[in-house]
């Protein structure tokens, strides 16, 4: 669970500090002289029932020998005695009958708090008397013990008065400053801004260690490539075909897949079965979870994120494909299939394009698949390019970042080599698919920032005290033996081992998809949707957020109180819109209307949401990976946005 920290005058700390005890003195009559009763016989014989302990005369609790006041009721072991001018002795009242609780002052330590008010003779200075009556002085047990020894040795009032006066004068300034700083209601907003500024300063002053900046020799830069598109557009078949052509799947394995697919009456699914491994996926003929595989091109170490296209599994697509640096948008060129994918109501081509743009992906290869079905028609290719291009530009993609490639995954046309079919060669002179992948610009990696790794999946180990977490390192670097903070539990763990592409390694950097084996932490405290981060820079854990959102194609307007599905990195929570702050101009970003009643299609707005459960989150300006959000309702993505403030 998240650490809970309280600030203020009522804050308690651990029970380890119970040895520090606070004491209460009372105002007494004038002409008072205080001294300690030296006669040990005033205590009952049953006080010392055990060696090293003494029994309280009020609550009969057995206290340690070194404690001068009872841990339970606060009564002194050696009671103070007032000696009046007439020679009569009077015991100082205990805290049970001296003053009401309002006279007690709370401290930030786990100690019983008391008020020190000493009464002295009327002949003493009136200024000292007033100061003593107004000032609440906090003394620890060690200071009290030394005061008792001085009282016992001195005896006269002058010694006691000088001791108390010096304590008051020495403590007054520090005590008042401490109480002022601990006031709950003082400058709360200023404190928040100060903490925020200090955090930003510490982040800016962070410097990576030398081992983080070293280059890995003989390794290619990793490129996370999401394969997205409408259901049955051929995404898994394309991925399997690429893996087979590039040697990641052997011919023996392919013959096995072909035999199994034919036995189920699905011979055309053989390449797809290389990634759709579960029995349910093969039975239904659709991808249900994001499959991960990799291959090498001339320029990149490419990690494929084969995403589900069915509308029921868009949440799985969000959780997996948000790690992407670039994307291949697969389009079915057959008549009717493209139109179904681009349809505003049920087409996943539109939704997937909007989602990958909200992931921060700005480089897209549009692979128009199944060109063999339309006889490699240039007219069909141009028609699809014209309609889809207009929509993609509306999503924020630039023409310079879009690459259009006609392919046929089943017939191996224009994949890893130039097309061999003359019908395609007659009009297409552009790059083949693998060449288009190499033409993508390398992504920027935040190695110089503190570690952030959202946890995508958790693999429980049979070894006691060990658990493995997989995900993409978004910032910083990891190495074996490093201490990491696991959020939201707030527990520290040690990196026991690292795996990259199923191969052990010593160091991983930002951009790598890795499996991190942790030790020294409870297995239940590591969960999907959590984050591994630098111990000195923990990520925020919150349930109340301010978002800047862009509404997509929504059938029902969003109102205050609307229930939504909230997605952020690999976490999903139920959410409720608690406030619609303002509408924003889509071009300038300035406020165009305050407190609108509802939000409709294509509107930008600033809203507040309340989550049912806490999530690891950061403001988008501090960490983009932990600051992108998606709101879904009625089985569709209703809005995409960013976190502007963690409330």
């Amino acid at each position: 669970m998240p650490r809970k920290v309280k600030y203020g005058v009522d804050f308690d700390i651990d029970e380890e500090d119970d040895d520090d005890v606070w004491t209460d003195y009372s105002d007494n009559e004038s002409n008072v002289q205080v001294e300690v009763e030296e006669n040990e016989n005033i205590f009952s014989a049953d006080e010392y029932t055990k060696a090293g302990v003494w029994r309280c005369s009020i609550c009969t609790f057995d206290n340690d020998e070194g404690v001068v006041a009872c841990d339970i009721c606060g009564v002194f072991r050696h009671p103070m005695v007032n000696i009046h001018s007439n020679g009569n002795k009077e015991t100082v009242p205990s805290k049970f009958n001296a003053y009401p609780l309002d006279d007690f002052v709370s401290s930030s330590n786990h100690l019983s708090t008391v008020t020190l008010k000493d009464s002295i003779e009327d002949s003493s200075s009136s200024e000292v008397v007033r100061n003593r009556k107004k000032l609440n002085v906090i003394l620890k047990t060690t200071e009290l013990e030394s005061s008792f020894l001085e009282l016992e040795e001195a005896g006269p009032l002058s010694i006691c008065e000088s001791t108390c006066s010096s304590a008051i004068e020495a403590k007054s300034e520090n005590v008042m400053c401490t109480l002022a700083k601990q006031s709950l209601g003082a400058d709360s907003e200023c404190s928040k801004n100060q903490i925020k500024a200090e955090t930003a300063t510490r982040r800016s002053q962070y410097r990576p260690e030398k081992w983080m900046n070293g280059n890995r020799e003989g390794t290619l830069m990793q490129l996370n490539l999401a394969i997205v598109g409408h259901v049955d557009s051929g995404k898994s078949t394309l991925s399997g075909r690429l893996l087979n052509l590039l040697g990641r799947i052997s011919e023996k394995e392919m013959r096995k897949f072909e035999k199994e697919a034919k036995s189920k009456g699905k011979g055309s699914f053989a390449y797809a079965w290389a990634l759709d491994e579960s029995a349910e996926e093969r039975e239904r003929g659709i991808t249900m979870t994001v499959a991960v595989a990799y291959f090498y091109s001339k320029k990149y170490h490419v990690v494929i994120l084969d995403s589900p296209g069915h509308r029921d599994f868009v949440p799985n697509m969000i959780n997996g494909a948000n790690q992407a640096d670039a994307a291949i948008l697969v389009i079915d060129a057959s008549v009717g299939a493209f139109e179904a994918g681009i349809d505003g109501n049920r087409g996943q081509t539109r939704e997937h394009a909007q989602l990958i743009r909200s992931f921060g992906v700005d480089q897209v290869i549009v692979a128009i698949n199944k060109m063999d079905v339309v006889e490699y028609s240039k007219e069909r290719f141009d028609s699809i390019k014209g309609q889809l291009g207009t929509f993609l530009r509306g999503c924020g993609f630039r023409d310079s970042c879009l690459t259009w490639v006609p392919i046929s995954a089943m017939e191996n046309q224009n994949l890893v080599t130039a097309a061999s079919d003359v019908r395609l060669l007659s009009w297409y002179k552009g790059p083949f698919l693998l060449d288009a992948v190499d033409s993508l610009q390398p992504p920027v990696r935040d190695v110089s920032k503190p570690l952030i790794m959202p946890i995508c999946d958790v693999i429980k180990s049979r070894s006691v005290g060990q658990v493995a977490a997989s995900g993409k390192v978004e910032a910083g670097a990891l190495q074996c033996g490093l201490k990491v903070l696991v959020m939201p539990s707030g527990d520290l763990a040690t990196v026991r081992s690292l795996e990259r592409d199923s191969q052990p390694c010593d160091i991983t950097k930002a951009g790598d998809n890795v499996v991190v084996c942790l030790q020294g932490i409870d297995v239940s405290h590591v969960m999907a949707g959590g984050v591994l981060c630098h111990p000195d820079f923990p990520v925020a854990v919150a349930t109340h957020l301010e978002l800047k959102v862009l509404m997509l194609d929504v059938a029902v307007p969003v109102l205050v109180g609307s229930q939504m599905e909230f997605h952020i990195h690999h976490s999903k929570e139920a959410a409720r819109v608690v406030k619609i702050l303002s509408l924003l101009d889509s071009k300038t970003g300035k406020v165009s209307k305050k407190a609108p009643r509802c939000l409709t299609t294509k509107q930008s707005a600033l809203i507040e949401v309340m989550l049912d459960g806490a999530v690891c989150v950061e403001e988008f300006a501090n960490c983009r990976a932990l600051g992108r959000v998606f709101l879904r309702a009625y089985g569709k993505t209703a809005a995409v946005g960013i976190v502007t403030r963690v409330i």
Side-chain angles (χ1 to χ4, degrees):
M1 296 297 293
R3 291 178 174 177
K4 296 181 179 179
V5 182
K6 294 183 179 179
Y7 300 93
V9 297
D10 293 326
F11 172 56
D12 291 336
I13 62 173
D14 294 337
E15 295 181 359
E16 298 176 357
D17 296 327
D18 282 343
D19 291 342
D20 295 330
V21 182
W22 303 80
T23 322
D24 185 19
Y25 292 88
S26 305
D27 289 333
N28 299 294
E29 300 176 359
S30 60
N31 302 324
V32 178
Q33 182 178 12
V34 180
E35 75 175 20
V36 178
E37 178 63 51
E38 298 180 357
N39 186 5
E40 298 292 337
N41 295 328
I42 64 174
F43 300 105
S44 59
D46 61 346
E47 176 186 357
Y48 298 96
T49 58
K50 298 181 182 178
V53 299
W54 61 275
R55 176 166 294 175
C56 176
S57 59
I58 301 297
C59 65
T60 70
F61 179 75
D62 291 338
N63 298 275
D64 292 336
E65 183 70 28
V67 178
V68 298
C70 180
D71 282 344
I72 300 299
C73 63
V75 172
F76 288 109
R77 176 181 179 184
H78 302 286
M80 304 296 293
V81 178
N82 293 337
I83 303 178
H84 295 275
S85 58
N86 57 10
N88 296 330
K89 296 183 179 181
E90 179 182 350
T91 303
V92 174
S94 69
K95 73 176 185 178
F96 296 103
N97 55 12
Y99 286 93
L101 292 177
D102 292 341
D103 288 342
F104 295 121
V105 179
S106 298
S107 168
S108 62
N109 294 326
H110 180 57
L111 305 164
S112 301
T113 59
V114 298
T115 305
L116 178 59
K117 298 179 180 178
D118 290 302
S119 299
I120 61 173
E121 297 181 358
D122 291 338
S123 59
S124 63
S125 171
S126 61
E127 182 67 24
V128 175
V129 173
R130 285 196 300 269
N131 288 339
R132 290 176 184 173
K133 289 185 177 181
K134 292 180 180 179
L135 183 63
N136 294 328
V137 181
I138 303 174
L139 295 176
K140 292 187 177 180
T141 306
T142 55
E143 295 173 325
L144 287 174
E145 290 176 349
S146 62
S147 299
F148 292 154
L149 293 176
E150 292 175 3
L151 287 172
E152 290 175 355
E153 293 174 359
L157 174 64
S158 59
I159 302 291
C160 178
E161 178 181 347
S162 62
T163 302
C164 295
S165 299
S166 61
I168 292 173
E169 293 172 359
K171 294 290 183 179
S172 60
E173 183 176 355
N174 292 335
V175 170
M176 298 307 293
C177 291
T178 301
L179 293 177
K181 289 180 181 179
Q182 292 176 347
S183 178
L184 290 174
D187 299 332
S188 60
E189 189 65 29
C190 189
S191 300
K192 292 178 183 178
N193 295 334
Q194 184 178 3
I195 293 173
K196 193 173 181 179
E198 290 176 355
T199 303
T201 302
R202 288 195 303 115
R203 287 183 180 275
S204 63
Q205 294 175 351
Y206 172 79
R207 294 294 180 269
E209 300 180 30
K210 291 183 178 180
W211 60 269
M212 297 181 180
N213 295 323
N215 294 325
R216 292 177 294 199
E217 298 181 358
T219 59
L220 299 173
M221 175 176 283
Q222 180 168 312
L223 179 72
N224 297 299
L225 191 64
I227 313 295
V228 299
H230 188 59
V231 63
D232 291 335
S233 60
K235 299 182 298 298
S236 297
T237 298
L238 173 61
S239 301
R241 188 74 165 184
L242 286 173
L243 294 173
N244 176 241
L245 294 172
L246 295 172
R248 300 304 304 173
I249 299 176
S250 65
E251 292 298 330
K252 181 179 179 180
E253 289 176 310
M254 276 311 308
R255 286 194 295 269
K256 175 186 175 183
F257 293 143
E258 290 174 359
K259 182 178 180 181
E260 291 176 350
K262 288 180 179 179
S263 65
K264 298 290 184 179
K266 300 180 179 180
S268 61
F269 286 75
Y271 289 104
W273 281 19
L275 292 107
D276 297 340
E277 297 179 346
S278 70
E280 187 176 2
E281 286 179 318
R282 294 183 175 185
E283 182 66 28
R284 297 181 60 177
I286 59 174
T287 302
M288 300 171 65
T289 59
V290 175
V292 181
Y294 67 93
F295 63 82
Y296 294 96
S297 67
K298 293 179 180 180
K299 187 177 178 181
Y300 294 113
H301 166 69
V302 181
V303 176
I304 292 179
L305 304 170
D306 181 31
S307 307
H310 197 280
R311 65 195 306 265
D312 292 344
F313 305 109
V314 172
N316 295 342
M317 178 264 183
I318 294 174
N319 292 338
N322 60 13
Q323 307 174 36
D325 302 312
I328 296 179
L329 179 59
V330 183
I331 303 298
D332 189 344
S334 56
V335 177
F338 165 70
E339 288 74 13
I342 205 68
D343 179 68
N345 295 324
R346 303 184 61 87
Q348 295 306 301
T349 300
R350 297 172 63 93
E351 186 171 6
H352 281 211
Q354 292 167 336
L355 286 173
I356 61 175
R357 186 67 190 95
S358 63
F359 294 157
V361 173
D362 55 4
Q363 301 183 89
V364 175
I365 299 172
V366 184
I368 302 180
N369 193 22
K370 303 185 182 181
M371 286 296 293
D372 55 302
V373 177
V374 294
E375 303 292 333
Y376 298 99
S377 170
K378 183 178 184 302
E379 290 74 17
R380 182 61 174 170
F381 177 83
D382 291 338
S383 175
I384 293 174
K385 183 177 179 181
Q387 296 181 56
L388 186 59
T390 302
F391 173 74
L392 294 178
R393 284 189 291 272
C395 293
F397 292 102
R398 298 190 301 271
D399 286 337
S400 59
C401 296
L402 297 175
T403 305
W404 302 82
V405 182
I407 63 170
S408 175
M410 288 300 297
E411 295 191 359
N412 187 19
Q413 292 295 321
N414 222 27
L415 297 181
V416 298
T417 58
S420 58
D421 196 298
V422 294
R423 292 174 294 179
L424 183 57
L425 286 174
S426 62
W427 59 269
Y428 181 74
K429 306 299 181 184
F432 50 88
L433 185 61
L434 190 60
D435 195 19
V437 171
D438 280 332
S439 67
L440 296 172
Q441 294 298 316
V444 178
R445 304 302 190 193
D446 294 331
V447 181
S448 61
K449 293 184 179 180
L451 170 68
I452 289 180
M453 179 189 143
I455 300 175
C456 179
D457 195 11
V458 176
I459 308 168
K460 295 183 180 179
S461 174
R462 294 182 179 179
S463 302
V464 178
Q466 293 183 13
V467 60
S470 65
K472 177 188 175 184
V473 182
E474 296 289 351
L478 281 168
Q479 72 171 352
C480 295
L482 191 70
K483 292 285 186 180
V484 296
L485 185 66
V486 182
M487 297 297 286
S489 66
D491 294 337
L492 279 175
T494 304
V495 178
R496 184 176 182 273
S497 62
L498 296 168
E499 284 188 10
R500 180 173 178 260
D501 302 329
S502 303
Q503 299 295 326
C505 59
D506 296 327
I507 296 175
T508 61
K509 297 184 178 181
D512 292 343
N513 288 77
V514 297
V515 176
V516 184
C517 185
L518 302 172
Q519 64 180 6
I521 187 172
D522 191 339
V523 175
S524 62
H525 291 173
V526 184
M527 63 194 74
V531 175
L532 302 184
C533 56
H534 194 288
D536 295 335
F537 301 92
V539 301
V541 180
T543 59
H544 194 183
L545 304 172
E546 181 185 274
L547 310 177
K548 181 181 178 181
V549 297
L550 170 65
M551 303 303 298
L552 303 181
D553 300 326
V554 291
V556 179
V558 175
L559 308 171
V560 173
S562 295
Q563 300 292 331
M564 314 283 281
E565 280 184 13
F566 179 89
H567 294 262
I568 183 168
H569 52 90
H570 306 294
S571 184
K572 180 178 73 171
E573 287 290 342
R576 179 171 54 88
V577 178
V578 294
K579 190 180 294 185
I580 302 178
L581 300 175
S582 60
L583 285 178
L584 304 176
D585 187 276
S586 58
K587 295 182 179 179
T588 63
K590 296 181 180 179
V591 175
S592 60
K593 183 180 179 180
K594 292 186 177 180
R597 295 184 60 186
C598 63
L599 299 177
T600 57
T601 301
K602 302 301 181 183
Q603 287 185 330
S604 296
L606 205 62
I607 65 173
E608 289 184 12
V609 296
M610 185 70 71
L611 311 181
D612 284 359
V615 296
C616 297
V617 62
E618 285 288 336
E619 293 180 5
F620 182 77
N622 297 332
C623 179
R624 295 191 172 190
L626 300 185
R628 300 184 190 274
V629 300
F630 313 91
L631 300 177
R632 288 177 55 82
Y634 305 105
K636 295 181 61 177
T637 303
V640 296
I642 60 175
V643 178
T644 56
R645 186 161 62 101
V646 178
I647 304 176

